[in-house]
Amino acid sequence: MRDECKRNAGASHRALAFILVSAGGLFVGCGDDDTAAVPTDGGTTDATDPVRPADASSDVDAGATEWTRASDVCAPEGEGGDVVAVSSDGVRAAYLVCADGKTELWAVDLEQGRARMVTGARSGDEVQFLIDDRFVAFGAQNSFFVVDVTGSDEPVSLSVGTSGRGVREFRSFLLKVDDTEFEPRLLVRERVGDKDRVSVRGPEDGYRQARTLFERDEVLGGLDQLSASGRTLILISPANAGSSMTAVPTYFRVRTNFELDPFQMPFGPSDWVMAPVGLGDNHNFARAGDRLARVQLERGTEEILVDAESGLLEGDDHLIERQASAGRKFLHFIVDGNPSFRFREKPEENPIVTLATAEAVGQALSPDEKIIVYLSEETLWSVPAGGDTDAIAIGTDVGSSGAADSATRFRVAFSPDSAEVAFINEGGTLFVGSVETEEGVAALGAGDAMAGSAAYVGSSVETSQLVWIADAPDMPRALLRSSVGSDQVRVIALNVDAWWPIPDSDEVLYWSEGVLARAAI
C-alpha cells in the first residue's frame, strides 16, 4: 500500500500536449458540413480486477467520448511531429488529419464539444498552441503557418525566401511589460534571402507583421536562451564577416522589447556554454568543461561556483535553479556524485552545501521546491532542498533510468502537492510512493510502462490521478490511472498510442486506433 504541472522558464513553447509514443494518424469529426457535434459526457469504467478492464473485449472504454475518424484519414508525413495540441487553459484542442493527400487542421471546443475544420490544403506534421491559447502554429520543417482557430482568417505564413531552409524555429512567450503585465509574443527565426533573421510578432494583427530583432549571415543554435521576463534573448552568430567555417562564434544579447540594440558579448560558446536554467536580463549560469559559473553578460566576468576537477556531473539536466525567497536563488547540481547547491551570488562567502553523500546520476525538484529526489545506486532518495534534514531512501532496488548518460534521462513525475513521486525504470517497471516515507515507494501495476508516459492529472489535489501507458500481452498499450495514495489501478482505454491531459480538468484526451477520445479520470 502506498502513502500518501513558470512563465517562459525552460520551455520551448507553452503547449501542454505530451506525445508519449510516436503517433501517425488522427481523427476528424465528419458531417454534412465542416462541423460535427460531439457528446460532452465522458467517463471510464472502473475495473473489479485492479489491472484489467471490466470488459476486456472493448478496445475503447464505453464511457469515453469519441470523435470518429473519417475514411480518408491517413498518417501525416514526417516523424516525431506533435499532431495534437491542447491549449494551456484546457478550452480547445487542435489536430492534423490527412485527406486526399493534403493535411487539414481541425479544432475542437472542449467545452461545447464541437469540432470544425480550420484550414486545409496545407502540408504539415506538427501543431502547437501559442501562449495566447487562440492561435496555433502548424506545418512542417520548411513551411509553417499561424492561424486563429476561433476565427475564419487565412493562415499567416512564417516561411519566406526560396533557399529551401524555411523556418528554422519559433517560440511563443510572454514579454514582461511592467511589474504585473505580460504580453504574448512570437519569436521567429527564418531564412530571408541570404540572411538569417530573428523577428518578433504579436497577436494584435494576427501575427502578420514581423519586426526584425536580429539579422546576420548566419545565426547558429536556437531560441532556447530566453530570460524568464521574456526581455533578454541570447543568440549565437559568427563575430566577423565571412564563412562561418572560419569565423569565431560569439554570443549576442538581444532585447526583445527593442529597448537596446543587439550587444556583442565579450565571449562565446568556446569560452562558456550557456546553461539551460538561470538566465536573467544581466546574468546567466554557464559551464566550461567541468567548471560551473555565473557570468555577467556585458562584461563577461564570472563568479566560479564549481571549480575544475571537482567532479561536476556531465550534462545539464541535473542543474536546477531554486528560489527560496525574494532575491534568494540557489543553483542545485551534482558534484562528485553528491547532490549539492550554492547561493548564486558571492561564492566566496557562500560555500557549496552538500545535501547528501551519494553516487547520484540524476535529480529532480518537487513542484513546491522543497524536496530533491535523486537516483543513486538503484535507490531513490529524497532530501529537503535546503538541507534541513538527512536524506532518506524512499525506494530501494528500483533499477536504473536506462540511459548511458543517466543524468540526461532521469525523469520523475510529482503529484500536485509534491507528496508523491512516480519513476519508470529501464525495465519498464513503474514505482510510485511518498517522498516523505522511508521505503514508501513500491512497484505499481503490471506490464511494461512506457518511458516518459507517466504524469499526474487533475483539477485539484484531491482529484489528482497518476496516468500512464503500459503494455502487456493481455492488455495491449493500456492507458491506466491510479489515485494519489492508492495502489488500485484502473483502465481508461486499450490500444492507446498517445495521450494528453486537459489542463485544469479531470479529463484526458487519448488517441487509439485512429480515434481521438476524451475520458474522465
Side-chain angles (χ1 to χ4, degrees):
M1 181 70 68
R2 286 189 279 143
D3 298 293
E4 323 276 63
C5 179
K6 291 182 180 174
R7 280 187 176 110
N8 292 332
S12 61
H13 55 77
R14 197 181 171 187
L16 295 183
F18 302 122
I19 290 290
L20 305 175
V21 183
S22 294
L26 290 178
F27 69 100
V28 56
C30 292
D32 293 333
D33 55 17
D34 64 351
T35 64
V38 180
T40 57
D41 56 326
T44 61
T45 299
D46 283 351
T48 54
D49 184 317
V51 294
R52 292 189 59 82
D55 179 6
S57 64
S58 176
D59 285 352
V60 179
D61 187 28
T65 298
E66 297 180 6
W67 290 273
T68 306
R69 63 180 176 180
S71 59
D72 56 0
V73 172
C74 63
E77 297 179 359
E79 298 180 358
D82 293 343
V83 288
V84 176
V86 183
S87 62
S88 64
D89 58 8
V91 173
R92 304 174 183 90
Y95 53 94
L96 297 174
V97 300
C98 293
D100 298 326
K102 295 180 180 179
T103 303
E104 297 173 347
L105 172 68
W106 282 68
V108 58
D109 186 314
L110 296 174
E111 294 181 332
Q112 299 180 7
R114 296 189 65 85
R116 73 181 185 97
M117 189 182 75
V118 178
T119 185
R122 311 281 182 179
S123 63
D125 57 13
E126 181 179 354
V127 60
Q128 62 177 258
F129 271 92
L130 302 187
I131 210 163
D132 55 63
D133 286 329
R134 286 177 46 227
F135 288 81
V136 301
F138 70 99
Q141 182 178 3
N142 292 324
S143 180
F144 263 87
F145 304 87
V146 168
V147 66
D148 183 354
V149 296
T150 68
S152 58
D153 292 341
E154 282 294 306
V156 175
S157 173
L158 298 186
S159 179
V160 296
T162 58
S163 66
R165 293 168 65 181
V167 170
R168 294 285 206 65
E169 190 176 351
F170 58 89
R171 177 170 180 169
S172 183
F173 70 103
L174 287 175
L175 173 64
K176 189 174 184 179
V177 179
D178 54 38
D179 289 341
T180 60
E181 185 179 359
F182 288 78
E183 295 180 347
R185 290 291 181 265
L186 180 66
L187 282 170
V188 181
R189 175 187 174 194
E190 53 198 339
R191 189 71 176 176
V192 182
D194 59 353
K195 300 288 185 180
D196 275 351
R197 176 185 296 170
V198 177
S199 60
V200 175
R201 302 172 185 237
E204 299 85 2
D205 61 351
Y207 296 98
R208 284 172 171 78
Q209 182 177 355
R211 188 176 178 187
T212 300
L213 269 176
F214 188 80
E215 185 174 87
R216 293 181 72 87
D217 291 343
E218 188 169 20
V219 175
L220 309 173
L223 303 176
D224 54 304
Q225 286 290 335
L226 184 66
S227 65
S229 70
R231 292 183 297 209
T232 299
L233 174 68
I234 304 299
L235 297 172
I236 304 174
S237 181
N240 51 294
S243 169
S244 61
M245 299 294 293
T246 58
V248 178
T250 192
Y251 291 118
F252 287 81
R253 186 191 67 184
V254 181
R255 295 294 196 197
T256 61
N257 57 8
F258 297 90
E259 284 186 350
L260 299 171
D261 292 333
F263 173 76
Q264 181 177 327
M265 294 158 57
F267 61 98
S270 60
D271 305 303
W272 290 100
V273 177
M274 296 292 187
V277 298
L279 176 61
D281 292 330
N282 298 298
H283 295 81
N284 195 19
F285 296 123
R287 62 186 301 163
D290 58 357
R291 290 192 302 155
L292 186 63
R294 186 169 184 251
V295 181
Q296 210 284 338
L297 301 182
E298 289 189 4
R299 298 188 299 272
T301 56
E302 68 264 2
E303 294 178 312
I304 302 299
L305 302 178
V306 178
D307 289 321
E309 301 182 359
S310 296
L312 183 67
L313 187 68
E314 294 183 2
D316 290 333
D317 274 21
H318 65 105
L319 303 179
I320 303 170
E321 187 180 44
R322 175 176 64 91
Q323 181 167 322
S325 60
R328 292 284 295 175
K329 290 187 177 182
F330 300 87
L331 181 65
H332 286 254
F333 44 83
I334 296 174
V335 61
D336 199 24
N338 304 326
S340 310
F341 72 88
R342 195 167 198 169
F343 183 53
R344 68 176 184 175
E345 298 174 4
K346 300 180 179 179
E348 68 280 359
E349 300 176 10
N350 299 278
I352 293 176
V353 177
T354 299
L355 292 174
T357 301
E359 296 295 332
V361 295
Q363 62 179 357
L365 180 65
S366 62
D368 63 7
E369 301 195 356
K370 293 181 179 180
I371 296 291
I372 291 285
V373 170
Y374 63 94
L375 179 64
S376 176
E377 298 180 302
E378 300 192 352
T379 296
L380 276 180
W381 298 77
S382 75
V383 63
D388 305 321
T389 60
D390 293 337
I392 60 171
I394 58 174
T396 58
D397 299 322
V398 300
S400 70
S401 59
D405 181 2
S406 295
T408 66
R409 295 294 179 91
F410 177 68
R411 294 289 185 272
V412 297
F414 288 96
S415 61
D417 61 358
S418 300
E420 187 172 276
V421 67
F423 167 69
I424 299 175
N425 73 4
E426 178 182 12
T429 301
L430 173 65
F431 290 88
V432 186
S434 170
V435 300
E436 298 176 345
T437 305
E438 195 165 356
E439 300 292 337
V441 170
L444 177 67
D448 293 330
M450 295 186 179
S453 70
Y456 286 87
V457 179
S459 60
S460 66
V461 171
E462 292 75 17
T463 62
S464 179
Q465 302 255 336
L466 178 64
V467 179
W468 73 100
I469 297 176
D471 196 27
D474 59 344
M475 260 197 337
R477 302 193 311 278
L479 183 62
L480 306 174
R481 64 181 176 88
S482 180
S483 300
V484 174
S486 170
D487 61 359
Q488 298 297 298
V489 178
R490 305 299 184 191
V491 177
I492 300 174
L494 298 178
N495 298 305
V496 173
D497 294 296
W499 73 275
W500 302 262
I502 300 178
D504 302 322
S505 78
D506 299 317
E507 295 181 309
V508 298
L509 295 179
Y510 64 88
W511 184 70
S512 173
E513 298 187 310
V515 172
L516 193 69
R518 177 172 65 182
I521 58 172

